[in-house]
mmCIF file of all heavy atoms in Angstrom:
data_model
loop_
_atom_site.group_PDB
_atom_site.id
_atom_site.type_symbol
_atom_site.label_atom_id
_atom_site.label_comp_id
_atom_site.label_asym_id
_atom_site.label_seq_id
_atom_site.Cartn_x
_atom_site.Cartn_y
_atom_site.Cartn_z
ATOM 1 N N ALA S 55 0.844 -1.202 0.000
ATOM 2 C CA ALA S 55 0.000 0.000 0.000
ATOM 3 C C ALA S 55 0.875 1.246 0.000
ATOM 4 O O ALA S 55 1.831 1.346 0.766
ATOM 5 C CB ALA S 55 -0.910 -0.007 1.226
ATOM 6 N N HIS S 56 0.528 2.180 -0.858
ATOM 7 C CA HIS S 56 1.311 3.416 -0.956
ATOM 8 C C HIS S 56 0.375 4.622 -0.987
ATOM 9 O O HIS S 56 0.182 5.244 -2.037
ATOM 10 C CB HIS S 56 2.187 3.413 -2.209
ATOM 11 C CG HIS S 56 3.163 2.289 -2.246
ATOM 12 N ND1 HIS S 56 4.272 2.233 -1.436
ATOM 13 C CD2 HIS S 56 3.173 1.152 -2.989
ATOM 14 C CE1 HIS S 56 4.944 1.123 -1.685
ATOM 15 N NE2 HIS S 56 4.299 0.442 -2.613
ATOM 16 N N PRO S 57 -0.228 4.980 0.151
ATOM 17 C CA PRO S 57 -1.193 6.085 0.156
ATOM 18 C C PRO S 57 -0.580 7.429 -0.196
ATOM 19 O O PRO S 57 -1.268 8.329 -0.651
ATOM 20 C CB PRO S 57 -1.714 6.076 1.596
ATOM 21 C CG PRO S 57 -0.636 5.413 2.384
ATOM 22 C CD PRO S 57 -0.047 4.386 1.469
ATOM 23 N N GLU S 58 0.726 7.570 0.006
ATOM 24 C CA GLU S 58 1.347 8.857 -0.296
ATOM 25 C C GLU S 58 1.344 9.153 -1.785
ATOM 26 O O GLU S 58 1.471 10.306 -2.211
ATOM 27 C CB GLU S 58 2.778 8.895 0.258
ATOM 28 C CG GLU S 58 3.771 8.012 -0.471
ATOM 29 C CD GLU S 58 3.737 6.562 0.014
ATOM 30 O OE1 GLU S 58 2.860 6.230 0.827
ATOM 31 O OE2 GLU S 58 4.596 5.778 -0.440
ATOM 32 N N THR S 59 1.171 8.108 -2.630
ATOM 33 C CA THR S 59 1.114 8.318 -4.066
ATOM 34 C C THR S 59 -0.317 8.271 -4.587
ATOM 35 O O THR S 59 -0.546 8.278 -5.788
ATOM 36 C CB THR S 59 1.941 7.244 -4.795
ATOM 37 O OG1 THR S 59 1.391 5.945 -4.516
ATOM 38 C CG2 THR S 59 3.394 7.294 -4.361
ATOM 39 N N GLY S 60 -1.265 8.192 -3.655
ATOM 40 C CA GLY S 60 -2.668 8.174 -4.060
ATOM 41 C C GLY S 60 -3.172 6.813 -4.464
ATOM 42 O O GLY S 60 -4.276 6.673 -4.973
ATOM 43 N N GLU S 61 -2.354 5.743 -4.234
ATOM 44 C CA GLU S 61 -2.748 4.413 -4.650
ATOM 45 C C GLU S 61 -3.653 3.722 -3.639
ATOM 46 O O GLU S 61 -4.187 2.659 -3.903
ATOM 47 C CB GLU S 61 -1.497 3.562 -4.904
ATOM 48 C CG GLU S 61 -0.660 4.068 -6.073
ATOM 49 C CD GLU S 61 0.618 3.262 -6.235
ATOM 50 O OE1 GLU S 61 0.635 2.089 -5.824
ATOM 51 O OE2 GLU S 61 1.595 3.799 -6.776
ATOM 52 N N LEU S 62 -3.808 4.308 -2.474
ATOM 53 C CA LEU S 62 -4.667 3.719 -1.457
ATOM 54 C C LEU S 62 -5.591 4.790 -0.902
ATOM 55 O O LEU S 62 -5.143 5.711 -0.235
ATOM 56 C CB LEU S 62 -3.835 3.117 -0.320
ATOM 57 C CG LEU S 62 -4.636 2.400 0.782
ATOM 58 C CD1 LEU S 62 -5.264 1.123 0.243
ATOM 59 C CD2 LEU S 62 -3.757 2.089 1.982
ATOM 60 N N ALA S 63 -6.872 4.667 -1.204
ATOM 61 C CA ALA S 63 -7.841 5.618 -0.681
ATOM 62 C C ALA S 63 -8.061 5.346 0.801
ATOM 63 O O ALA S 63 -7.817 4.249 1.296
ATOM 64 C CB ALA S 63 -9.157 5.487 -1.445
ATOM 65 N N ALA S 64 -8.535 6.369 1.511
ATOM 66 C CA ALA S 64 -8.766 6.216 2.950
ATOM 67 C C ALA S 64 -9.707 5.055 3.240
ATOM 68 O O ALA S 64 -9.477 4.271 4.162
ATOM 69 C CB ALA S 64 -9.310 7.519 3.525
ATOM 70 N N ASP S 65 -10.776 4.909 2.450
ATOM 71 C CA ASP S 65 -11.731 3.832 2.696
ATOM 72 C C ASP S 65 -11.078 2.464 2.501
ATOM 73 O O ASP S 65 -11.369 1.509 3.230
ATOM 74 C CB ASP S 65 -12.942 3.970 1.770
ATOM 75 C CG ASP S 65 -13.837 5.138 2.165
ATOM 76 O OD1 ASP S 65 -13.723 5.612 3.320
ATOM 77 O OD2 ASP S 65 -14.637 5.585 1.320
ATOM 78 N N ASP S 66 -10.189 2.348 1.497
ATOM 79 C CA ASP S 66 -9.480 1.091 1.279
ATOM 80 C C ASP S 66 -8.529 0.801 2.430
ATOM 81 O O ASP S 66 -8.353 -0.351 2.847
ATOM 82 C CB ASP S 66 -8.695 1.138 -0.035
ATOM 83 C CG ASP S 66 -9.595 1.226 -1.246
ATOM 84 O OD1 ASP S 66 -10.729 0.724 -1.174
ATOM 85 O OD2 ASP S 66 -9.174 1.813 -2.256
ATOM 86 N N TYR S 67 -7.910 1.843 2.951
ATOM 87 C CA TYR S 67 -7.016 1.682 4.096
ATOM 88 C C TYR S 67 -7.792 1.150 5.292
ATOM 89 O O TYR S 67 -7.353 0.196 5.952
ATOM 90 C CB TYR S 67 -6.369 3.018 4.434
ATOM 91 C CG TYR S 67 -5.737 3.063 5.812
ATOM 92 C CD1 TYR S 67 -4.570 2.367 6.086
ATOM 93 C CD2 TYR S 67 -6.340 3.782 6.839
ATOM 94 C CE1 TYR S 67 -4.004 2.400 7.351
ATOM 95 C CE2 TYR S 67 -5.778 3.821 8.102
ATOM 96 C CZ TYR S 67 -4.610 3.131 8.353
ATOM 97 O OH TYR S 67 -4.064 3.166 9.608
ATOM 98 N N TYR S 68 -8.944 1.742 5.577
ATOM 99 C CA TYR S 68 -9.714 1.288 6.729
ATOM 100 C C TYR S 68 -10.281 -0.115 6.523
ATOM 101 O O TYR S 68 -10.482 -0.861 7.486
ATOM 102 C CB TYR S 68 -10.809 2.298 7.068
ATOM 103 C CG TYR S 68 -10.241 3.570 7.645
ATOM 104 C CD1 TYR S 68 -10.435 4.803 7.034
ATOM 105 C CD2 TYR S 68 -9.445 3.534 8.789
ATOM 106 C CE1 TYR S 68 -9.880 5.964 7.560
ATOM 107 C CE2 TYR S 68 -8.884 4.691 9.311
ATOM 108 C CZ TYR S 68 -9.107 5.896 8.691
ATOM 109 O OH TYR S 68 -8.542 7.029 9.203
ATOM 110 N N ALA S 69 -10.512 -0.504 5.277
ATOM 111 C CA ALA S 69 -10.919 -1.884 5.000
ATOM 112 C C ALA S 69 -9.771 -2.841 5.324
ATOM 113 O O ALA S 69 -9.991 -3.936 5.868
ATOM 114 C CB ALA S 69 -11.340 -2.030 3.544
ATOM 115 N N LEU S 70 -8.540 -2.424 5.009
ATOM 116 C CA LEU S 70 -7.372 -3.232 5.341
ATOM 117 C C LEU S 70 -7.183 -3.309 6.856
ATOM 118 O O LEU S 70 -6.854 -4.365 7.404
ATOM 119 C CB LEU S 70 -6.135 -2.629 4.675
ATOM 120 C CG LEU S 70 -4.831 -3.434 4.721
ATOM 121 C CD1 LEU S 70 -5.032 -4.845 4.193
ATOM 122 C CD2 LEU S 70 -3.748 -2.707 3.921
ATOM 123 N N ILE S 71 -7.429 -2.188 7.541
ATOM 124 C CA ILE S 71 -7.362 -2.178 9.006
ATOM 125 C C ILE S 71 -8.410 -3.133 9.585
ATOM 126 O O ILE S 71 -8.151 -3.840 10.571
ATOM 127 C CB ILE S 71 -7.590 -0.757 9.553
ATOM 128 C CG1 ILE S 71 -6.420 0.141 9.173
ATOM 129 C CG2 ILE S 71 -7.777 -0.780 11.065
ATOM 130 C CD1 ILE S 71 -5.101 -0.261 9.780
ATOM 131 N N ALA S 72 -9.601 -3.169 8.989
ATOM 132 C CA ALA S 72 -10.654 -4.065 9.472
ATOM 133 C C ALA S 72 -10.215 -5.524 9.340
ATOM 134 O O ALA S 72 -10.503 -6.349 10.224
ATOM 135 C CB ALA S 72 -11.952 -3.821 8.698
ATOM 136 N N ARG S 73 -9.515 -5.856 8.262
ATOM 137 C CA ARG S 73 -8.973 -7.212 8.100
ATOM 138 C C ARG S 73 -7.964 -7.508 9.208
ATOM 139 O O ARG S 73 -7.970 -8.604 9.791
ATOM 140 C CB ARG S 73 -8.287 -7.357 6.748
ATOM 141 C CG ARG S 73 -9.193 -7.531 5.553
ATOM 142 C CD ARG S 73 -8.386 -7.593 4.265
ATOM 143 N NE ARG S 73 -7.336 -8.616 4.302
ATOM 144 C CZ ARG S 73 -6.338 -8.679 3.414
ATOM 145 N NH1 ARG S 73 -6.254 -7.791 2.444
ATOM 146 N NH2 ARG S 73 -5.435 -9.642 3.514
ATOM 147 N N PHE S 74 -7.114 -6.552 9.478
ATOM 148 C CA PHE S 74 -6.110 -6.716 10.536
ATOM 149 C C PHE S 74 -6.801 -6.919 11.892
ATOM 150 O O PHE S 74 -6.431 -7.817 12.662
ATOM 151 C CB PHE S 74 -5.200 -5.496 10.573
ATOM 152 C CG PHE S 74 -4.190 -5.511 11.690
ATOM 153 C CD1 PHE S 74 -2.975 -6.168 11.539
ATOM 154 C CD2 PHE S 74 -4.457 -4.875 12.899
ATOM 155 C CE1 PHE S 74 -2.048 -6.200 12.573
ATOM 156 C CE2 PHE S 74 -3.540 -4.902 13.939
ATOM 157 C CZ PHE S 74 -2.322 -5.563 13.778
ATOM 158 N N ASP S 75 -7.798 -6.086 12.191
ATOM 159 C CA ASP S 75 -8.514 -6.193 13.470
ATOM 160 C C ASP S 75 -9.183 -7.557 13.613
ATOM 161 O O ASP S 75 -9.165 -8.163 14.695
ATOM 162 C CB ASP S 75 -9.555 -5.086 13.589
ATOM 163 C CG ASP S 75 -8.947 -3.710 13.828
ATOM 164 O OD1 ASP S 75 -7.753 -3.640 14.192
ATOM 165 O OD2 ASP S 75 -9.671 -2.710 13.650
ATOM 166 N N ALA S 76 -9.792 -8.037 12.535
ATOM 167 C CA ALA S 76 -10.478 -9.332 12.589
ATOM 168 C C ALA S 76 -9.479 -10.455 12.857
ATOM 169 O O ALA S 76 -9.756 -11.379 13.643
ATOM 170 C CB ALA S 76 -11.228 -9.586 11.287
ATOM 171 N N GLU S 77 -8.316 -10.382 12.216
ATOM 172 C CA GLU S 77 -7.296 -11.415 12.427
ATOM 173 C C GLU S 77 -6.728 -11.324 13.841
ATOM 174 O O GLU S 77 -6.446 -12.350 14.488
ATOM 175 C CB GLU S 77 -6.184 -11.254 11.395
ATOM 176 C CG GLU S 77 -5.324 -12.492 11.212
ATOM 177 C CD GLU S 77 -6.118 -13.688 10.699
ATOM 178 O OE1 GLU S 77 -6.780 -13.562 9.651
ATOM 179 O OE2 GLU S 77 -6.068 -14.751 11.363
ATOM 180 N N LEU S 78 -6.588 -10.087 14.336
ATOM 181 C CA LEU S 78 -6.099 -9.893 15.703
ATOM 182 C C LEU S 78 -7.082 -10.495 16.709
ATOM 183 O O LEU S 78 -6.672 -11.189 17.654
ATOM 184 C CB LEU S 78 -5.912 -8.399 15.968
ATOM 185 C CG LEU S 78 -5.171 -8.009 17.248
ATOM 186 C CD1 LEU S 78 -3.689 -8.348 17.127
ATOM 187 C CD2 LEU S 78 -5.334 -6.523 17.528
ATOM 188 N N ASP S 79 -8.373 -10.249 16.515
ATOM 189 C CA ASP S 79 -9.392 -10.789 17.420
ATOM 190 C C ASP S 79 -9.350 -12.314 17.439
ATOM 191 O O ASP S 79 -9.465 -12.939 18.497
ATOM 192 C CB ASP S 79 -10.786 -10.315 16.998
ATOM 193 C CG ASP S 79 -11.008 -8.830 17.240
ATOM 194 O OD1 ASP S 79 -10.164 -8.198 17.911
ATOM 195 O OD2 ASP S 79 -12.025 -8.298 16.754
ATOM 196 N N ALA S 80 -9.196 -12.908 16.258
ATOM 197 C CA ALA S 80 -9.147 -14.369 16.177
ATOM 198 C C ALA S 80 -7.907 -14.912 16.878
ATOM 199 O O ALA S 80 -7.960 -15.943 17.564
ATOM 200 C CB ALA S 80 -9.169 -14.812 14.720
ATOM 201 N N ALA S 81 -6.800 -14.203 16.726
ATOM 202 C CA ALA S 81 -5.545 -14.661 17.321
ATOM 203 C C ALA S 81 -5.571 -14.556 18.838
ATOM 204 O O ALA S 81 -5.070 -15.446 19.548
ATOM 205 C CB ALA S 81 -4.377 -13.845 16.764
ATOM 206 N N VAL S 82 -6.151 -13.497 19.357
ATOM 207 C CA VAL S 82 -6.208 -13.282 20.806
ATOM 208 C C VAL S 82 -6.994 -14.399 21.494
ATOM 209 O O VAL S 82 -6.623 -14.874 22.568
ATOM 210 C CB VAL S 82 -6.824 -11.903 21.107
ATOM 211 C CG1 VAL S 82 -7.219 -11.783 22.567
ATOM 212 C CG2 VAL S 82 -5.843 -10.800 20.728
ATOM 213 N N ASP S 83 -8.117 -14.775 20.865
ATOM 214 C CA ASP S 83 -8.937 -15.878 21.378
ATOM 215 C C ASP S 83 -9.314 -15.659 22.839
ATOM 216 O O ASP S 83 -9.176 -16.541 23.687
ATOM 217 C CB ASP S 83 -8.186 -17.206 21.210
ATOM 218 C CG ASP S 83 -9.093 -18.415 21.467
ATOM 219 O OD1 ASP S 83 -10.317 -18.285 21.264
ATOM 220 O OD2 ASP S 83 -8.575 -19.472 21.875
ATOM 221 N N ASN S 84 -9.799 -14.439 23.134
ATOM 222 C CA ASN S 84 -10.206 -14.077 24.487
ATOM 223 C C ASN S 84 -11.461 -13.217 24.367
ATOM 224 O O ASN S 84 -11.390 -12.056 23.954
ATOM 225 C CB ASN S 84 -9.083 -13.305 25.190
ATOM 226 C CG ASN S 84 -9.418 -12.931 26.617
ATOM 227 O OD1 ASN S 84 -10.520 -12.474 26.917
ATOM 228 N ND2 ASN S 84 -8.450 -13.082 27.513
ATOM 229 N N ALA S 85 -12.603 -13.782 24.702
ATOM 230 C CA ALA S 85 -13.877 -13.099 24.474
ATOM 231 C C ALA S 85 -13.968 -11.784 25.235
ATOM 232 O O ALA S 85 -14.547 -10.810 24.736
ATOM 233 C CB ALA S 85 -15.040 -14.007 24.875
ATOM 234 N N TYR S 86 -13.396 -11.724 26.428
ATOM 235 C CA TYR S 86 -13.466 -10.499 27.229
ATOM 236 C C TYR S 86 -12.638 -9.382 26.587
ATOM 237 O O TYR S 86 -13.081 -8.234 26.486
ATOM 238 C CB TYR S 86 -12.971 -10.763 28.653
ATOM 239 C CG TYR S 86 -13.766 -11.810 29.374
ATOM 240 C CD1 TYR S 86 -13.244 -13.088 29.567
ATOM 241 C CD2 TYR S 86 -15.043 -11.535 29.867
ATOM 242 C CE1 TYR S 86 -13.976 -14.061 30.225
ATOM 243 C CE2 TYR S 86 -15.780 -12.509 30.535
ATOM 244 C CZ TYR S 86 -15.242 -13.780 30.709
ATOM 245 O OH TYR S 86 -15.965 -14.733 31.357
ATOM 246 N N LEU S 87 -11.433 -9.730 26.157
ATOM 247 C CA LEU S 87 -10.567 -8.735 25.531
ATOM 248 C C LEU S 87 -11.139 -8.272 24.195
ATOM 249 O O LEU S 87 -11.145 -7.073 23.887
ATOM 250 C CB LEU S 87 -9.165 -9.320 25.338
ATOM 251 C CG LEU S 87 -8.109 -8.398 24.724
ATOM 252 C CD1 LEU S 87 -7.978 -7.097 25.506
ATOM 253 C CD2 LEU S 87 -6.762 -9.125 24.668
ATOM 254 N N VAL S 88 -11.654 -9.203 23.413
ATOM 255 C CA VAL S 88 -12.226 -8.851 22.109
ATOM 256 C C VAL S 88 -13.439 -7.947 22.280
ATOM 257 O O VAL S 88 -13.624 -6.982 21.526
ATOM 258 C CB VAL S 88 -12.591 -10.128 21.323
ATOM 259 C CG1 VAL S 88 -13.452 -9.789 20.104
ATOM 260 C CG2 VAL S 88 -11.323 -10.857 20.888
ATOM 261 N N SER S 89 -14.282 -8.230 23.274
ATOM 262 C CA SER S 89 -15.453 -7.385 23.525
ATOM 263 C C SER S 89 -15.029 -5.972 23.882
ATOM 264 O O SER S 89 -15.609 -4.989 23.391
ATOM 265 C CB SER S 89 -16.293 -7.978 24.655
ATOM 266 O OG SER S 89 -17.392 -7.143 24.967
#
């Protein structure tokens, strides 16, 4: 991703962040922390 060159729109960036968050939640495997 290279947002400084305009190749990544803000919405696309936040979609990538959402993927990261989902993978993080799965990895943590702790319902209290995820909540």
Side-chain angles (χ1 to χ4, degrees):
H56 300 288
E58 71 276 6
T59 61
E61 295 176 26
L62 183 69
D65 288 342
D66 294 331
Y67 164 72
Y68 289 120
L70 189 53
I71 292 296
R73 283 177 54 194
F74 176 85
D75 288 345
E77 199 62 55
L78 191 71
D79 290 350
V82 166
D83 191 27
N84 182 316
Y86 300 105
L87 182 55
V88 168
S89 177

